[in-house]
Amino acid sequence: MSTSLDRRVALRDPTARLERMMEIREFEGRVKDLFFEGVVSGTTHLCEGQEAVSVGLAATLRPTDHVTCTYRGHGVALALGCEPSAVLGEIMGRTVGLVGGVGGSMHLSERAVGLMPTFAIVGGGIPVAVGAGLSCQVLGGDDVAVAVFGDGATNIGAFHESLNLAAVWKLPVVFVVENNLYGEYSPIASTTAVTDLAVRAGSYAMPAETVDGQVVDDVAAAVRRAVERARGGDGPTLLEMKTYRYSGHSRADTGPYRPDGELEAWQGRDPIALYADALVAAGTVTAGEVDALRSAVTERIDEVVAEVRQAPEPDPSAMFGHIHA
Amino acid sequence: MSTSLDRRVALRDPTARLERMMEIREFEGRVKDLFFEGVVSGTTHLCEGQEAVSVGLAATLRPTDHVTCTYRGHGVALALGCEPSAVLGEIMGRTVGLVGGVGGSMHLSERAVGLMPTFAIVGGGIPVAVGAGLSCQVLGGDDVAVAVFGDGATNIGAFHESLNLAAVWKLPVVFVVENNLYGEYSPIASTTAVTDLAVRAGSYAMPAETVDGQVVDDVAAAVRRAVERARGGDGPTLLEMKTYRYSGHSRADTGPYRPDGELEAWQGRDPIALYADALVAAGTVTAGEVDALRSAVTERIDEVVAEVRQAPEPDPSAMFGHIHA
Amino acid sequence: MTKLRMNQAVSAALADAMREDPAVVVIGEDVAVPGGVFKATDGLLAEFGVGRVRDTPISEMGFLGAAVGAAATGLRPVVEIMFGEFLGVALDQLVTEAAKLRYLSAGQYGVPLTVRASVGAGLGFGAQHSQCLETWFYATPGLKVAVASGPQTAYGLLRAAVRDDDPVVVLEPRRLYGGRAEVVTGDDGIIALGSAEVRTAGDDVTLVALGGTVPVAQEAADGAGWGAEVVDLRTLVPWDVATVLDSVRRTGRLVVVEEGPFSGGWGTEIAARVASELFGELRAPVHRVTSPDVPVPYAKPLETRYVPTVEYVREQVGELIETGRTPRPWWSREGAHR
Amino acid sequence: MTKLRMNQAVSAALADAMREDPAVVVIGEDVAVPGGVFKATDGLLAEFGVGRVRDTPISEMGFLGAAVGAAATGLRPVVEIMFGEFLGVALDQLVTEAAKLRYLSAGQYGVPLTVRASVGAGLGFGAQHSQCLETWFYATPGLKVAVASGPQTAYGLLRAAVRDDDPVVVLEPRRLYGGRAEVVTGDDGIIALGSAEVRTAGDDVTLVALGGTVPVAQEAADGAGWGAEVVDLRTLVPWDVATVLDSVRRTGRLVVVEEGPFSGGWGTEIAARVASELFGELRAPVHRVTSPDVPVPYAKPLETRYVPTVEYVREQVGELIETGRTPRPWWSREGAHR
Ligand SMILES: Cc1ncc(C[n+]2csc(CCOP(=O)(O)OP(=O)(O)O)c2C)c(N)n1
Ligand SMILES: Cc1ncc(C[n+]2csc(CCOP(=O)(O)OP(=O)(O)O)c2C)c(N)n1
Ligand SMILES: [Mg+2]
Ligand SMILES: [Mg+2]
């Protein structure tokens, strides 16, 4: 079986990027089913519709770069290379989970691919990425740190403090805001004084880009520009990814607060469909191969689900591990 | 003797504004002397050089407007109308102090003139002013709230959260940043990614002005514009007052970290001298009257100091008051 | 009397408070249009409008601070902090500002602010959304803390908190939101802050519980071979010292039942005070039945074990009564701790 | 051995730690060019340069969070929080992030972070710059807390904290910064976390003190008619249960001497534990000598009275020994409390 690192390296290939987006989509669908079935407890935050951001990002970063991400992190984890069984294992609270089941859906982590424990506190991961960038700067080398967070997080103090600090210290950090137009059930305009979030880089004299978050290679290109700046010692960048989450915020939320037709309009620019069309048009793959990929992904995820269902739950003693060094 | 409200109303008169700036200057000088004499314990944060901001602000606001200010609040308190004896009484921890001596230099308050308890936590007063603005909006009427804070405070999360919230809710709030170029011993450029702070209003689509904080009537005019917007229901404004503190940050700090000549350059645009010259030029007062004003202020503050020196210290029982309603 | 779920009792309390006093406003993330993620503010927007029921940006420091300022200048805000942990980004406004504003203004400004926050484990929300965090509010003169243990206390304590002229934190154990019970509303349903409730009579032991452990302690006592006075503390700061001392004087034994780590838990306050005041009068050492010293784990079998269970409480209390000695906690018995 | 003020002991510890390990960096407001407002980082910039000694913007959440991230990825940061209260704007990063990062990564990421914060009353800084706030860190598995009581402990605990692979908070009572004493530096000067020090022998009572109350308790014991084992707790989490129990077993009496409010103070943890473990073996109730339940007042005569004084401690302990009963605190005796 492939390792997480193999899965990561594979993303250099366009077809693998398409496949990975399909995998994330399929995965999130299963998580939703398993949640409704009652075998996933607590909460889940799905990222269907945002796959291009995760995959475009992962395709560009090195495994030694550091990534902080949020509770909406299944896609980022899979994109970075984490095995679907380990991610699902964590979500289902099994010993095969990334952190043995003590974390759950909101707390995924795999150091081998640079995924720091994902953050359930909005804004919590942003300064932590700044600190990872500080390590890169102080320890030498040219690794970078990336903070992934949502539009809603740009209203919390930690966002502001982090961008200012990274700018003043010229740290190798890329701030990636997934502007999916909602923070929980609140549309961005009801909570946020500006809706084009790249604007906010102006408070820190920081370069920024607005990126079409539905186009995986656009995401990758923008991230590459920002990462190059960071690796070259030119400091941080804010990237605003315009995207959309098809599911509601979490759990059973179906998004009834969304205006009619909004979801459908975004589905019309589905990142997987767009990329599949582009690859077919470019002759990289055939339509038949796309279908085959999709079937293969479905099959693999079927197996993963079956496997994790059988995986053991942790013993109470597991709660006492890893509290201190 | 005059009341705090009389002192406030008096500021409609230009000569009174000049006199009040002189009073603040004289007052701060005495506080410094008393600190070095050892009769003021703890800490003090003086505002010499920034008098025009305090007085220009106070001249414009109503006593029913709400003001939150920082530990560097002696000038704002005096400008708003608080009696010098009550302010010095608080600084010296006497029963005649504004809050009976339990607060000290950093905690001044007088509701009659709209001065909420000043804040010793950087940024602490900014959201509180937003809340006072919320009261104004919800309870009706057209009072406004003003937050006064320093350049350093624009780097803390509460600043960002407050401006966004006030903008989204269109609250009648004026944010006044006294950009005196330093936060403690750190020059602004070492801590802040932009040094023109009005820029930061852009993150909230908020109107902003950069104001010459050394010219009291410029301050008053800018505040008037912002307050009118607020009273008219058009929401918040950010005002950046370019100013300078002659003394160091606090206590015994003399500001050795300042570049040679910087202090002197600013003293060349001293707010009191500028205003005195302007009033003389306009024929409002004569040079002789200016001197007489200054002597009168000195005499009055002499008396205040003498009076407060004699004032009783609180009894231990005073520490048990006003904890609960 | 109507039968209400605990989240409905909360919204009923808020609605009654808002009807009684036009200065009451409700502020928080997704409290207005969506009616709260736990549906504890449902229906308020429709009745009271956008001026008084406000969805906020994600900025706890900002809107909690705004509530402090609003409280000081004429409103009576009730802030929802969706998960208690989020106070970690805003604690300053509560502990260092709100609690001291009256003091630092010599009574010129009061802060009639209520902060509601959901707390506790049991819903599978993991280590950062399952804590209780009571001690964040300890040692803070000026701040009161109440904890709901079901629909009636959720209603009654919240009503009292909103009427109170000082800042009050009301913690709501989120796993109880869905529980339904008869609730007395209106003035008769209001529960004075600082008063504990003795729920049952019993000769052998006093069980002091709070919030989420109240139903656990009650059930443990109900089926037990020993008799317990089960005390719902209801208010943690200031707690009802007289009622607890009276009870323990009668029973001679005290067990504090806590959700949360053993070390540094809120119950140390109760245990320390009672052990000193009733020195020489106790039949057994004061005992604290708590969770182990671990972050709240996610996997169901772990989380279930984390919160003291009915059986565990029953067993611990039984052993204390029987032996007169402090029972060892489950994690040191089974060698579960490495 | 050199004679150092406590702030010099701190900077000596930091310099030694930075020499020992190039991963150690120092971060905080005005710690670099100015050498710290309490001069506790003086000289570090000159020796270690701007890469490792960093002045920050005023943004505690930002730079504490950055330190968490840096600690998880290869550095060993020491953060100065100028006044402990400022953690009120950043507590999330310490309690909800740093303390749980190892757990939530199954050990893949550790957080070798030290947070130094000045605490306590005595310098006239008023209600928002004079608190101790220990209970903010309570009930947080994963977080350690040490408190300096003078130059040696400031040096030794800080060295241990920096070497520790987990997050440690070191509180420094700011009124002690100017006090001078002989300090053993280097490895011999390091004080293991979790170990209390029994400073004097005595038969009648154990006085457990922490930080700023250590010199007070010591002085009270020195001139008293009774004999005390004065224990400097040194580490509050985890505290040295064995040493304290041993001492109290010998003396039969425990008085905890605390700066800070009586209700909900850190000493309840010690009192509760000892009273339970030594049930039936004590000659008097466990007693806590504390400050009253008020915000720290500014005026000198008030602030002086706020912190337990030598005379007050002596008097309280004396009465406890003499009567075997809990003495009333000064504020309830003199009718000072309204
Ligand atoms: C400090 C804090 N406040 C509130 C929450 C509750 N919460 C969780 S997700 C969320 C919405 C975040 O929106 P956004 O940043 O846009 O990210 P998205 O969920 O859309 O990916 C909120 C309010 C939290 N976890 N932390
Ligand atoms: C949250 C917080 N962090 C740090 C401090 C310490 N401190 C007090 S004043 C100050 C500098 C503030 O600078 P600025 O905002 O420019 O105001 P100024 O003092 O220049 O008026 C600092 C860092 C504080 N009081 N609160
Ligand atoms: Mg969003
Ligand atoms: Mg400044």
Side-chain angles (χ1 to χ4, degrees):
Chain A
M1 207 176 137
S2 68
T3 69
S4 307
L5 277 176
D6 295 337
R7 282 170 47 82
R8 176 66 161 278
V9 172
L11 295 182
R12 289 189 196 140
D13 174 54
T15 314
R17 295 202 282 280
L18 177 63
E19 188 183 0
R20 189 65 52 83
M21 291 198 288
M22 290 172 170
E23 177 185 289
I24 296 172
R25 177 72 53 89
E26 185 69 33
F27 185 93
E28 294 291 63
R30 298 311 175 86
V31 171
K32 193 188 295 188
D33 294 344
L34 291 163
F35 180 81
F36 282 109
E37 190 187 318
V39 294
V40 168
S41 69
T43 185
T44 61
H45 303 78
L46 307 180
C47 71
E48 296 143 302
Q50 305 187 183
E51 294 88 351
V53 180
S54 305
V55 173
L57 184 71
T60 313
L61 298 178
R62 299 174 185 157
T64 50
D65 294 329
H66 307 284
V67 179
T68 70
C69 181
T70 71
Y71 49 85
R72 197 178 304 287
H74 308 169
V76 170
L78 293 170
L80 288 176
C82 303
E83 297 287 349
S85 57
V87 179
L88 186 63
E90 193 54 44
I91 294 169
M92 291 179 64
R94 305 302 169 100
T95 54
V96 299
L98 279 172
V99 301
V102 303
S105 163
M106 301 205 284
H107 301 296
L108 310 174
S109 175
E110 184 171 355
R111 188 157 194 159
V113 296
L115 182 62
M116 301 185 72
T118 54
F119 291 80
I121 304 295
V122 168
I126 311 178
V128 173
V130 171
L134 178 64
S135 285
C136 298
Q137 188 188 68
V138 172
L139 297 172
D142 64 352
D143 287 336
V144 306
V146 178
V148 182
F149 50 93
D151 47 287
T154 70
N155 293 325
I156 205 158
F159 164 82
H160 174 71
E161 299 190 3
S162 299
L163 268 72
N164 185 62
L165 188 61
V168 169
W169 287 354
K170 248 191 167 187
L171 297 176
V173 182
V174 182
F175 298 98
V176 176
V177 50
E178 300 187 292
N179 185 353
N180 63 11
L181 306 184
Y182 291 87
E184 293 201 342
Y185 318 133
S186 293
I188 182 167
S190 71
T191 60
T192 312
V194 293
T195 50
D196 283 321
L197 299 171
V199 166
R200 291 191 159 172
S203 285
Y204 321 102
M206 187 185 292
E209 279 190 60
T210 304
V211 183
D212 184 343
Q214 303 310 90
V215 180
V216 64
D217 286 350
D218 283 10
V219 170
V223 172
R224 189 165 308 115
R225 285 186 291 274
V227 164
E228 269 166 21
R229 238 185 331 263
R231 295 205 204 285
D234 294 327
T237 304
L238 174 64
L239 299 179
E240 178 188 8
M241 305 291 174
K242 301 276 193 187
T243 186
Y244 196 76
R245 57 164 161 76
Y246 294 167
S247 293
H249 169 65
S250 68
R251 313 219 290 164
D253 175 33
T254 55
Y257 42 82
R258 302 191 281 201
D260 278 353
E262 186 181 81
L263 171 61
E264 293 70 22
W266 280 92
Q267 283 172 327
R269 297 198 69 248
D270 181 77
I272 298 173
L274 286 180
Y275 202 52
D277 290 352
L279 293 189
V280 171
T284 314
V285 289
T286 65
E289 284 167 342
V290 169
D291 291 341
L293 272 181
R294 190 173 283 119
S295 308
V297 163
T298 305
E299 240 173 73
R300 223 170 40 240
I301 299 294
D302 276 345
E303 281 164 28
V304 165
V305 171
E307 178 194 328
V308 176
R309 278 183 190 278
Q310 301 306 321
E313 294 188 304
D315 183 86
S317 69
M319 78 174 84
F320 299 95
H322 305 299
I323 297 171
H324 293 290
Chain B
M1 206 176 142
S2 67
T3 68
S4 307
L5 277 176
D6 295 338
R7 281 169 50 81
R8 177 65 162 279
V9 172
L11 295 181
R12 289 189 198 141
D13 175 53
T15 314
R17 295 202 280 279
L18 178 63
E19 188 183 1
R20 189 64 53 83
M21 290 198 289
M22 289 171 169
E23 177 185 288
I24 295 172
R25 178 71 53 89
E26 185 69 33
F27 184 94
E28 294 291 62
R30 299 309 175 86
V31 171
K32 193 187 294 190
D33 295 345
L34 291 163
F35 179 82
F36 282 109
E37 191 189 317
V39 294
V40 167
S41 68
T43 185
T44 61
H45 303 78
L46 308 180
C47 71
E48 295 143 302
Q50 305 186 183
E51 294 88 349
V53 179
S54 304
V55 173
L57 184 70
T60 313
L61 298 178
R62 299 174 186 157
T64 50
D65 293 330
H66 307 285
V67 178
T68 70
C69 181
T70 71
Y71 49 85
R72 196 178 303 287
H74 308 168
V76 170
L78 293 169
L80 288 176
C82 302
E83 297 288 350
S85 57
V87 179
L88 186 62
E90 193 54 44
I91 294 169
M92 291 179 63
R94 306 302 168 99
T95 55
V96 299
L98 279 173
V99 300
V102 303
S105 164
M106 301 204 283
H107 300 295
L108 310 174
S109 175
E110 185 172 355
R111 189 157 193 161
V113 297
L115 182 62
M116 301 186 72
T118 55
F119 291 79
I121 304 295
V122 168
I126 311 179
V128 173
V130 171
L134 178 63
S135 285
C136 298
Q137 188 188 68
V138 172
L139 297 172
D142 64 351
D143 288 335
V144 306
V146 178
V148 182
F149 50 92
D151 47 287
T154 70
N155 292 326
I156 205 158
F159 163 83
H160 174 71
E161 299 190 4
S162 298
L163 268 72
N164 185 62
L165 187 62
V168 170
W169 286 355
K170 247 190 167 188
L171 296 177
V173 182
V174 182
F175 298 98
V176 176
V177 49
E178 300 188 293
N179 184 353
N180 62 12
L181 305 184
Y182 291 87
E184 293 202 340
Y185 318 134
S186 293
I188 181 166
S190 73
T191 59
T192 313
V194 294
T195 51
D196 284 320
L197 300 170
V199 166
R200 291 190 160 174
S203 285
Y204 321 101
M206 188 185 292
E209 279 191 59
T210 304
V211 184
D212 184 343
Q214 303 310 90
V215 180
V216 63
D217 287 349
D218 283 9
V219 170
V223 172
R224 188 163 309 115
R225 285 187 290 274
V227 165
E228 270 166 21
R229 239 187 327 264
R231 294 205 204 286
D234 294 328
T237 303
L238 174 64
L239 299 178
E240 178 187 8
M241 305 291 174
K242 301 276 192 188
T243 185
Y244 196 77
R245 57 164 160 77
Y246 294 167
S247 293
H249 169 65
S250 68
R251 314 222 288 166
D253 175 34
T254 56
Y257 42 83
R258 302 192 280 202
D260 279 352
E262 185 181 81
L263 171 61
E264 293 70 21
W266 279 91
Q267 282 171 326
R269 298 198 67 249
D270 182 75
I272 298 173
L274 286 180
Y275 201 52
D277 290 352
L279 293 188
V280 171
T284 314
V285 290
T286 66
E289 284 167 342
V290 169
D291 291 341
L293 271 181
R294 191 173 282 119
S295 309
V297 162
T298 304
E299 240 173 73
R300 222 170 42 239
I301 299 294
D302 276 344
E303 282 165 27
V304 164
V305 171
E307 178 195 329
V308 176
R309 278 184 190 278
Q310 301 306 320
E313 293 189 306
D315 182 84
S317 69
M319 79 175 82
F320 299 95
H322 305 299
I323 297 171
H324 293 290
Chain C
M1 289 238 293
T2 30
K3 235 174 167 177
L4 298 174
R5 294 190 195 281
M6 191 172 89
N7 56 353
Q8 295 170 323
V10 170
S11 59
L14 292 171
D16 287 348
M18 295 180 85
R19 286 177 203 127
E20 172 176 291
D21 183 348
V24 177
V25 297
V26 169
I27 295 174
E29 289 158 5
D30 292 312
V31 296
V33 180
V37 301
F38 296 111
K39 291 282 172 201
T41 54
D42 211 22
L44 299 179
L45 178 66
E47 182 172 351
F48 303 102
V50 292
R52 294 177 65 196
V53 187
R54 289 180 176 251
D55 284 331
T56 66
I58 308 172
S59 48
E60 282 77 5
M61 181 73 86
F63 68 78
L64 181 57
V68 173
T73 54
L75 294 179
R76 202 168 271 276
V78 183
V79 167
E80 173 170 309
I81 298 289
M82 197 187 297
F83 286 76
E85 276 88 353
F86 306 164
L87 284 169
V89 305
L91 197 65
D92 178 67
Q93 284 293 339
L94 205 49
V95 168
T96 308
E97 317 297 346
K100 296 171 177 56
L101 215 63
R102 185 181 293 280
Y103 196 72
L104 293 178
S105 67
Q108 297 177 94
Y109 291 92
V111 184
L113 163 72
T114 301
V115 176
R116 299 174 38 240
S118 81
V119 294
L123 298 185
F125 288 148
Q128 297 185 332
H129 280 63
S130 300
Q131 302 170 86
C132 291
L133 304 171
E134 300 90 353
T135 57
W136 283 4
F137 316 110
Y138 262 9
T140 304
L143 197 60
K144 296 172 187 158
V145 183
V147 188
S149 57
Q152 184 64 58
T153 50
Y155 180 89
L157 293 168
L158 182 52
R159 287 299 307 276
V162 177
R163 283 192 184 176
D164 199 277
D165 285 329
D166 290 309
V168 182
V169 178
V170 182
L171 303 176
E172 298 168 355
R174 62 182 74 86
R175 71 170 173 276
L176 304 182
Y177 278 129
R180 199 193 281 275
E182 298 281 346
V183 176
V184 182
T185 58
D187 281 6
D188 293 346
I190 296 180
I191 297 167
L193 298 178
S195 73
E197 182 193 26
V198 182
R199 295 164 56 106
T200 53
D203 294 332
D204 301 313
V205 64
T206 297
L207 301 189
V208 168
L210 183 75
T213 65
V214 172
V216 175
Q218 185 65 67
E219 205 183 321
D222 287 346
W226 31 263
E229 291 202 6
V230 176
V231 178
D232 179 352
L233 205 55
R234 302 197 298 198
T235 305
L236 184 58
V237 183
W239 61 283
D240 188 344
V241 181
T243 295
V244 172
L245 288 179
D246 276 1
S247 173
V248 183
R249 261 193 208 101
R250 281 191 294 272
T251 63
R253 297 185 186 94
L254 170 63
V255 175
V256 186
V257 186
E258 299 173 45
E259 176 178 339
F262 173 71
S263 298
W266 62 265
T268 58
E269 161 74 18
I270 317 299
R273 186 77 181 267
V274 171
S276 286
E277 301 244 355
L278 301 185
F279 181 74
E281 301 177 42
L282 297 174
R283 301 194 269 169
V286 173
H287 184 46
R288 295 173 53 232
V289 177
T290 72
S291 306
D293 283 342
V294 305
V296 184
Y298 166 70
K300 215 52 260 142
L302 274 52
E303 191 188 21
T304 306
R305 197 71 205 253
Y306 175 84
V307 182
T309 61
V310 169
E311 298 64 41
Y312 179 56
V313 172
R314 198 174 287 156
E315 183 190 299
Q316 290 269 304
V317 174
E319 183 174 333
L320 181 81
I321 294 173
E322 206 170 299
T323 67
R325 297 224 314 265
T326 306
R328 292 169 65 197
W330 65 262
W331 55 88
S332 84
R333 283 187 183 193
E334 297 164 26
H337 202 320
R338 20 159 220 172
Chain D
M1 288 239 292
T2 30
K3 237 177 165 171
L4 298 174
R5 293 190 196 282
M6 190 173 90
N7 55 354
Q8 294 170 323
V10 170
S11 59
L14 291 172
D16 286 348
M18 294 179 85
R19 285 177 203 125
E20 172 175 292
D21 184 347
V24 177
V25 297
V26 170
I27 296 174
E29 289 158 6
D30 292 312
V31 296
V33 180
V37 301
F38 296 110
K39 291 282 171 202
T41 55
D42 212 22
L44 299 180
L45 178 66
E47 182 172 352
F48 302 101
V50 291
R52 294 177 65 195
V53 187
R54 291 181 174 247
D55 284 332
T56 66
I58 309 172
S59 48
E60 281 78 4
M61 180 74 85
F63 67 78
L64 181 56
V68 174
T73 55
L75 294 179
R76 201 169 271 275
V78 183
V79 168
E80 173 171 308
I81 298 290
M82 197 188 295
F83 286 76
E85 275 89 351
F86 306 164
L87 284 169
V89 305
L91 197 64
D92 178 66
Q93 284 293 340
L94 205 49
V95 168
T96 308
E97 317 297 347
K100 296 171 177 55
L101 216 64
R102 185 180 294 279
Y103 197 70
L104 293 177
S105 67
Q108 297 176 93
Y109 291 92
V111 184
L113 164 72
T114 301
V115 176
R116 300 175 38 242
S118 81
V119 294
L123 298 185
F125 287 148
Q128 297 185 331
H129 280 62
S130 300
Q131 301 171 85
C132 290
L133 303 171
E134 300 91 353
T135 56
W136 283 5
F137 316 111
Y138 262 10
T140 304
L143 197 61
K144 296 171 186 160
V145 183
V147 188
S149 58
Q152 184 64 59
T153 49
Y155 180 89
L157 293 168
L158 182 53
R159 288 298 307 276
V162 177
R163 283 191 184 177
D164 199 275
D165 285 329
D166 290 309
V168 182
V169 178
V170 182
L171 303 176
E172 298 168 356
R174 63 181 76 84
R175 72 170 173 277
L176 304 182
Y177 278 129
R180 200 193 282 275
E182 299 280 348
V183 176
V184 182
T185 57
D187 280 6
D188 292 346
I190 296 180
I191 297 167
L193 297 179
S195 73
E197 182 194 25
V198 182
R199 295 163 55 107
T200 54
D203 294 332
D204 301 313
V205 63
T206 297
L207 301 189
V208 167
L210 183 75
T213 64
V214 172
V216 175
Q218 186 65 67
E219 206 183 321
D222 287 346
W226 31 262
E229 292 202 4
V230 176
V231 177
D232 179 352
L233 205 54
R234 302 197 297 198
T235 304
L236 184 57
V237 183
W239 62 284
D240 188 344
V241 180
T243 295
V244 173
L245 287 179
D246 276 0
S247 174
V248 182
R249 261 193 207 101
R250 282 192 294 273
T251 64
R253 297 184 187 93
L254 169 62
V255 175
V256 186
V257 186
E258 299 173 47
E259 175 178 339
F262 173 71
S263 298
W266 61 265
T268 57
E269 162 74 19
I270 318 299
R273 186 78 182 265
V274 171
S276 286
E277 301 243 355
L278 301 185
F279 181 74
E281 302 176 43
L282 296 174
R283 300 193 271 167
V286 173
H287 184 46
R288 294 173 53 230
V289 177
T290 71
S291 306
D293 283 342
V294 306
V296 184
Y298 166 69
K300 211 64 248 150
L302 273 52
E303 192 188 20
T304 306
R305 196 72 205 256
Y306 174 84
V307 182
T309 61
V310 169
E311 297 65 40
Y312 178 57
V313 172
R314 197 174 288 155
E315 185 190 299
Q316 290 269 306
V317 175
E319 184 175 330
L320 181 80
I321 294 173
E322 204 171 300
T323 67
R325 298 225 311 265
T326 306
R328 292 169 64 194
W330 65 264
W331 55 87
S332 84
R333 285 187 181 194
E334 298 164 25
H337 202 317
R338 25 160 216 170

